[in-house]
Amino acid sequence: APYSYWISTPENYNADTTVDWPVIVFLHGRSLSGTDLNLVKKYGVIHEIEKGRKVPAIVIAPQVATGAWDPDKVLEVIQYIQKMYTTDTNRVYVCGMSLGGYGTMHFAGKHPNKVTAAVALCGGGNTSDACNLSTIPFWIQHGSADEAVPVSQSREMVQAIKQCDNKGVNLI
């Protein structure tokens, strides 16, 4: 796979079953970038699972070493997991925070047909992805007191999505 990653399967996952499990992908922020995969457990979905939260899905938490998330590499990880595990390709959810919020918008904007729904926390994106984002349920959340990423980054994406033919009808 192009990224190292943590994976968590539901406690009742069994490769022989006929259950097709949803996939949740969590893209971390810049502070967790690097080559120490344990950093990825600091916050996010894997962190919550380790604290005891039960998630009825296959959860993938990749790690980017440096720079921005590459949507094609994220797709490679997802497709690898879909090949190796029993998954429902119609239930793929991507979420990310900060740098991961940008990564979520870029991934869902480039590959909207591979995403069921997405959540971007305190991120931003490229407005050229907006019309693709308008075709899927998308939740953008950002606090106005954020000092790392200005809330204007998320607001700009929301406005761009609303300008599309779909008018952001799936904007949650």
Side-chain angles (χ1 to χ4, degrees):
Y3 291 127
S4 297
Y5 58 87
W6 285 108
I7 184 166
S8 175
T9 54
E11 59 185 13
N12 54 344
Y13 176 85
N14 177 341
D16 298 330
T17 186
T18 56
V19 175
D20 290 338
W21 291 96
V23 173
I24 298 172
V25 181
F26 174 73
L27 304 180
H28 64 74
R30 186 172 313 282
S31 67
L32 306 188
S33 298
T35 55
D36 178 0
L37 195 55
N38 284 317
L39 285 174
V40 177
K41 294 180 175 183
K42 220 171 166 181
Y43 61 76
V45 186
I46 295 292
H47 174 75
E48 290 299 314
I49 290 169
E50 288 207 331
K51 285 181 14 186
R53 185 177 300 255
K54 305 290 184 228
V55 179
I58 294 171
V59 177
I60 314 164
Q63 183 181 42
V64 66
T66 60
W69 287 100
D70 179 329
D72 296 326
K73 289 181 179 180
V74 172
L75 181 60
E76 278 184 63
V77 172
I78 293 169
Q79 289 174 331
Y80 176 77
I81 296 303
Q82 289 171 329
K83 193 164 78 174
M84 302 305 291
Y85 293 83
T86 308
T87 70
D88 183 344
T89 57
N90 293 313
R91 291 191 296 160
V92 176
Y93 307 95
V94 181
C95 57
M97 183 174 151
S98 198
L99 176 71
Y102 283 90
T104 297
M105 287 195 214
H106 196 102
F107 174 76
K110 185 165 186 181
H111 302 291
N113 59 328
K114 303 290 184 188
V115 180
T116 308
V119 177
L121 306 170
C122 56
N126 187 328
T127 54
S128 65
D129 289 330
C131 290
N132 281 346
L133 294 176
S134 75
T135 66
I136 60 172
F138 208 99
W139 184 18
I140 296 172
Q141 188 172 356
H142 204 136
S144 59
D146 190 328
E147 293 181 8
V149 178
V151 70
S152 60
Q153 296 291 298
S154 287
R155 288 180 175 151
E156 182 179 320
M157 290 302 295
V158 169
Q159 289 309 312
I161 290 168
K162 287 180 176 178
Q163 298 305 310
C164 299
D165 290 341
N166 297 308
K167 301 293 185 206
V169 292
N170 293 318
L171 201 61
I172 300 169

